[in-house]
Amino acid sequence: MSVLPLVFTSGWASGVNAYAVVLLLGLFGLTGVSDDVPQTLQRPEVLIAAGVLFLLETVADKIPYVDSVWDSAHTVIRPLAGAWVGALLAGHSGSLSDVAAGLVGGSTALASHAVKAGTRMAVNTSPEPVSNIVLSLAEDLGVGGIVSFAMFHPEAAAIICAVLLVSGLVVLVFLISRIRRFLRRRAQRLEERRMASRIQGPP
């Protein structure tokens, strides 16, 4: 059976929370839930590192503005993780070349990361922190649910991820104007503060 649906699903999920994907796949393989998980993802050091980083992301992802800084730092990490996991899955199954799987996983992770990061920037234009927490919890549950579902129904999971990705990109297009307004207002406030400090002068 082709591993492409699982590669696509893991790529989408990696763009949202790469550490959760590595941790879940590794645990599924280690506990015997799935034979499709490469041994590399089941290694103790990989699971420990993924678990620690997952806990850090769980906290950072729920704090306004900190989540956007975290997303910016992971603009490269998440696509690389998606490509790495995809190549490992392909190498383990032998049904798809490592390069092709890496491209699919990495590009899908980059697209879903763009949706996540852009959505968070739009949410951060709201002064209350509740929306960040709710959205982060929904993302965590979504990644956990879709990766678990993909272990048993990879084709159906891939279809769900494709729908979520396209829907997210459409929503992101509508949110871009809001993000731009927010960035302009923030730049204006910083400029006003600088001007005020110059007028006041040194004490």
Side-chain angles (χ1 to χ4, degrees):
M1 182 174 64
S2 174
V3 74
L4 183 59
L6 185 56
V7 170
F8 182 84
T9 299
S10 64
W12 175 88
S14 294
V16 180
N17 193 326
Y19 306 124
V21 174
V22 174
L23 182 61
L24 283 171
L25 288 177
L27 290 175
F28 285 144
L30 190 65
T31 56
V33 173
S34 174
D35 296 328
D36 296 326
V37 180
Q39 287 294 326
T40 301
L41 296 176
Q42 303 177 40
R43 295 176 62 174
E45 61 270 27
V46 173
L47 291 174
I48 292 172
V52 171
L53 291 169
F54 170 71
L55 291 176
L56 289 175
E57 175 148 339
T58 299
V59 175
D61 206 41
K62 294 173 178 58
I63 304 174
Y65 299 106
V66 174
D67 58 352
S68 289
V69 174
W70 184 270
D71 285 339
S72 297
H74 283 72
T75 300
V76 175
I77 296 174
R78 286 172 182 156
L80 286 178
W84 177 63
V85 171
L88 287 177
L89 291 171
H92 181 72
S93 71
S95 62
L96 183 68
S97 75
D98 297 3
V99 175
L103 289 174
V104 172
S107 59
T108 306
L110 180 61
S112 62
H113 165 75
V115 172
K116 173 187 170 72
T119 303
R120 286 308 183 86
M121 289 182 68
V123 169
N124 281 333
T125 62
S126 174
E128 45 78 32
V130 178
S131 54
N132 295 75
I133 297 175
V134 172
L135 187 57
S136 178
L137 287 173
E139 290 169 351
D140 293 341
L141 293 173
V143 168
I146 201 67
V147 172
S148 300
F149 184 60
M151 291 293 97
F152 307 99
H153 306 283
E155 291 84 3
I159 293 173
I160 294 173
C161 288
V163 172
L164 290 173
L165 183 59
V166 172
S167 301
L169 291 172
V170 171
V171 171
L172 182 60
V173 170
F174 287 101
L175 291 176
I176 286 176
S177 59
R178 181 176 180 179
I179 295 171
R180 286 176 176 171
R181 287 196 300 269
F182 167 71
L183 293 175
R184 283 197 297 267
R185 287 199 301 267
R186 187 169 66 174
Q188 184 178 2
R189 285 197 297 268
L190 291 174
E191 183 63 25
E192 290 173 351
R193 290 175 185 173
R194 283 196 293 265
M195 292 297 295
S197 62
R198 290 177 183 175
I199 293 174
Q200 291 177 357

